[in-house]
Amino acid sequence: MRITIEIEPKDLTRFQQALQRSRHVAQEADEADILDAAKQALDSAPLATAPSYVRKRIAGVQRLIVMLEDEAWALPTQCRVDVLEALVYFSDPEDLIPDDIEVIGLLDDAIMLELLLRKLAPVLRAYADFCKFREELAAAPPATRQEYAVSLARKRDALRARLGRSGKRAA
């Protein structure tokens, strides 16, 4: 069975307001604390009883955490703020729908993540390209560590430039 959720402008406004509250927390809190809270929320989320749609979206949290923690990628500031806001929202057990409500508790988190993952899609694609390049580079590494670092930095910079050309926030 397929169920489609249509989000009307007034519903979207509610999600944007909730995200705005997360923005304030993200600006005040320590990034390491936000990451720890997101990891704990991920570990304790009642995913076993959650619908498949929810589980798939929640998997995006793990990608966001990995991307934030990747020092070589060094996620640009504005994108970093967007990701931290998403993690703050996800980590809040008392968001629009309290997470402990069986079956639907994570539905709002999944919807918010869908919205944010769509917004961050160009950044996530660039990061995936960066990771692929890094794996290829590791398979046939340059002669020196410095050449390796320079190659990685050039690729990262080229991917960020691509983000800038596409009109997305890259810095």
Side-chain angles (χ1 to χ4, degrees):
M1 176 191 301
R2 181 180 191 100
I3 297 174
T4 303
I5 298 173
E6 187 172 317
I7 299 177
E8 297 179 3
K10 67 180 178 179
D11 300 322
L12 190 55
T13 299
R14 246 184 245 131
F15 278 98
Q16 290 168 336
Q17 289 169 344
L19 189 60
Q20 194 69 18
R21 288 189 295 276
S22 296
R23 177 172 291 137
H24 295 300
V25 173
Q27 290 171 345
E28 300 292 322
D30 181 65
E31 183 173 315
D33 292 339
I34 294 171
L35 285 167
D36 288 343
K39 289 174 186 177
Q40 183 178 1
L42 200 56
D43 289 342
S44 64
L47 296 177
T49 59
S52 174
Y53 170 83
V54 171
R55 287 193 308 271
K56 287 177 186 174
R57 297 322 174 276
I58 300 300
V61 171
Q62 194 117 32
R63 283 186 295 160
L64 295 175
I65 291 170
V66 168
M67 186 172 62
L68 266 180
E69 292 181 327
D70 190 335
E71 292 178 11
W73 177 241
L75 190 63
T77 302
Q78 185 54 53
C79 294
R80 198 168 200 86
V81 169
D82 290 344
V83 171
L84 288 169
E85 290 169 8
L87 295 178
V88 166
Y89 185 87
F90 173 73
S91 301
D92 183 0
E94 298 298 321
D95 45 31
L96 291 175
I97 302 173
D99 293 349
D100 60 354
I101 297 176
E102 202 167 323
V103 181
I104 66 164
L106 294 173
L107 184 59
D108 63 309
D109 296 82
I111 293 169
M112 183 69 80
L113 285 166
E114 178 68 24
L115 295 170
L116 293 168
L117 290 171
R118 284 180 184 202
K119 176 182 177 183
L120 292 168
V123 177
L124 288 165
R125 279 192 302 275
Y127 180 62
D129 290 348
F130 178 77
C131 290
K132 182 179 177 189
F133 177 80
R134 181 169 42 193
E135 288 172 14
E136 292 168 355
L137 194 60
T144 68
R145 291 176 67 187
Q146 183 178 5
E147 289 173 357
Y148 176 86
V150 168
S151 294
L152 209 53
R154 283 187 181 144
K155 182 65 171 182
R156 180 190 60 228
D157 293 346
L159 289 166
R160 286 187 180 171
R162 181 179 82 188
L163 285 172
R165 285 191 304 274
S166 69
K168 302 297 176 196
R169 294 188 265 182

